[in-house]
Amino acid sequence: MGIDKVIKDRRSVREYKDKKVDKHIIQDILETLKSKKGLRDSIKIGFEFIEEGEEVYRNLDGIVGYFGKVIKAPHYIYIVSDIKDGYLENSGYLGEKLVLKATDLGLGTCWIEIAEDIGKVKEILKVEEDKDLIGLLAIGYPRRETKVGGMYNTRGKSISPLTEFGYPNIDVQYSEQPVSGRVSVEDIVYLNNWGERAKVEDLEHRGMAEAFYHMRLAPSWGNRQPWKFIIDGDKIVLTLCKDDRVSEKVARIEAGIAMLYFELMIHQIGIPGQWILEKPEKHYDIPENFFIAGYYTI
Ligand SMILES: Cc1cc2nc3c(=O)[nH]c(=O)nc-3n(C[C@H](O)[C@H](O)[C@H](O)COP(=O)(O)O)c2cc1C
């Protein structure tokens, strides 16, 4: 499958069939990942497979995931990284490579945040003290969901708490393509400076419209879609919104995920280049509630 199709097919899966995934399939995914390039290949990162999801579900329910709700899945993979400059972006980037590979194989996944009591979760998962636990990925065969995130429905209320995370209404029915809403390309791309919105024609003229269109389909915490890009000559600067609801850690993981989507698409289109995890010289009048995660250089 072409990467654009895989990106379109991916969605966060929160209901799984009660069917195990063959161990060899998971091993293949993890093995393929070892040969994939990260954003910082000098940083050691580990993807640990939990075959028996049931025990993790029991032990972690109440302490990880939105509202402390763990997504029930046959298996989980957790991501552990050395703590070095750029490790969060690198983890998001590689974690999402895993997600896309799994999607291509017909598997469902969902990122699960670890926001509260990370020490306890590290203890349960036996993560070494000097490493950071990035997150947990649910993995398995997707069950056909009829509602977006039905698991978060609150008793007696038709509107779920997820509404405040960007879902218009939890009762939204999925059709053939169950994906949650996204902002338009014109809402996330600026030309030369902050606030100077790019038109689709400007992006088409640069051969980049498709890359941004697909980039928007990247997952983000609570579907907050925190990205704004500034195209400045041969640099494409990625900025992300700081938000009271998320930590800097989550925002940097989201940055890595966004970098991956953009890079995969722009490479497919035939525009070479790479991400630099540094601030460019110019400031671009970026407001206080945004930060620069890095820039893509053609
Ligand atoms: C860092 C991160 C943490 C997330 N944590 C959770 C979580 O704990 N529970 C959950 O149901 N979804 C979680 N998600 C999934 C997002 O809610 C989802 O990506 C977003 O709503 C967009 O929907 P989509 O992935 O189906 O396109 C997380 C996503 C990211 C990137």
Side-chain angles (χ1 to χ4, degrees), residues 63-76:
I63 43 176
V64 304
Y66 297 158
F67 314 107
K69 282 199 173 201
V70 185
I71 290 154
K72 195 167 193 210
H75 316 287
Y76 300 93

Side-chain angles (χ1 to χ4, degrees), residues 44-113:
K44 217 172 147 221
I45 181 164
F47 293 88
E48 309 298 334
F49 176 52
I50 300 170
E51 198 178 357
E52 296 304 326
E54 186 67 39
E55 198 183 327
V56 165
Y57 177 74
R58 253 185 286 117
N59 288 338
L60 294 185
D61 203 26
I63 43 176
V64 304
Y66 297 158
F67 314 107
K69 282 199 173 201
V70 185
I71 290 154
K72 195 167 193 210
H75 316 287
Y76 300 93
I77 289 171
Y78 60 92
I79 309 170
V80 174
S81 174
D82 275 2
I83 301 169
K84 285 188 178 165
D85 214 22
Y87 81 98
L88 293 168
E89 291 85 346
N90 190 55
S91 303
Y93 180 95
L94 282 170
E96 192 62 20
K97 272 198 179 174
L98 189 158
V99 163
L100 292 178
K101 175 78 189 156
T103 307
D104 196 21
L105 295 174
L107 296 171
T109 58
C110 188
W111 282 86
I112 300 173
E113 67 162 348

Side-chain angles (χ1 to χ4, degrees), residues 10-12 14 65-66 71 110-113 152 167 180 182 219-223 250 257:
R10 187 216 61 83
R11 64 189 170 85
S12 294
R14 300 188 176 91
Y66 297 158
I71 290 154
C110 188
W111 282 86
I112 300 173
E113 67 162 348
Y152 299 109
Y167 290 107
S180 45
R182 291 295 193 271
S220 59
W221 187 95
N223 202 22
V250 167
I257 297 174

Side-chain angles (χ1 to χ4, degrees), residues 234-284:
D234 57 2
K235 280 195 187 79
I236 296 120
V237 182
L238 170 62
T239 75
L240 279 94
C241 183
K242 300 181 216 164
D243 173 331
D244 288 349
R245 300 172 303 164
V246 296
S247 58
E248 187 182 332
K249 177 173 174 174
V250 167
R252 291 200 175 273
I253 295 169
E254 291 173 328
I257 297 174
M259 287 176 182
L260 176 69
Y261 276 50
F262 181 78
E263 182 189 285
L264 287 172
M265 284 308 302
I266 204 109
H267 282 179
Q268 191 190 50
I269 289 158
I271 303 177
Q274 58 176 336
W275 281 102
I276 310 288
L277 292 185
E278 283 165 21
K279 286 200 174 119
E281 275 161 33
K282 269 163 76 178
H283 178 259
Y284 301 102

Side-chain angles (χ1 to χ4, degrees), residues 40-196:
R40 288 258 162 97
D41 285 327
S42 56
I43 302 174
K44 217 172 147 221
I45 181 164
F47 293 88
E48 309 298 334
F49 176 52
I50 300 170
E51 198 178 357
E52 296 304 326
E54 186 67 39
E55 198 183 327
V56 165
Y57 177 74
R58 253 185 286 117
N59 288 338
L60 294 185
D61 203 26
I63 43 176
V64 304
Y66 297 158
F67 314 107
K69 282 199 173 201
V70 185
I71 290 154
K72 195 167 193 210
H75 316 287
Y76 300 93
I77 289 171
Y78 60 92
I79 309 170
V80 174
S81 174
D82 275 2
I83 301 169
K84 285 188 178 165
D85 214 22
Y87 81 98
L88 293 168
E89 291 85 346
N90 190 55
S91 303
Y93 180 95
L94 282 170
E96 192 62 20
K97 272 198 179 174
L98 189 158
V99 163
L100 292 178
K101 175 78 189 156
T103 307
D104 196 21
L105 295 174
L107 296 171
T109 58
C110 188
W111 282 86
I112 300 173
E113 67 162 348
I114 305 172
E116 307 290 324
D117 212 346
I118 187 161
K120 189 166 172 196
V121 183
K122 278 175 84 172
E123 214 177 279
I124 293 170
L125 296 175
K126 301 190 176 63
V127 175
E128 289 165 57
E129 222 166 273
D130 60 339
K131 308 226 183 234
D132 199 1
L133 178 58
I134 308 299
L136 198 62
L137 291 168
I139 187 160
Y141 290 103
R143 185 178 281 177
R144 212 182 151 77
E145 287 164 271
T146 52
K147 288 177 183 176
V148 179
M151 64 179 277
Y152 299 109
N153 250 338
T154 45
R155 257 175 290 134
K157 287 188 190 167
S158 60
I159 308 252
S160 125
L162 259 202
T163 304
E164 67 189 73
F165 292 136
Y167 290 107
N169 186 319
I170 205 66
D171 288 334
V172 168
Q173 296 279 322
Y174 277 142
S175 53
E176 304 134 76
Q177 267 301 227
V179 287
S180 45
R182 291 295 193 271
V183 292
S184 76
V185 170
E186 292 184 350
D187 283 329
I188 58 166
V189 191
Y190 297 139
L191 287 181
N192 307 319
N193 211 10
W194 186 270
E196 294 173 20

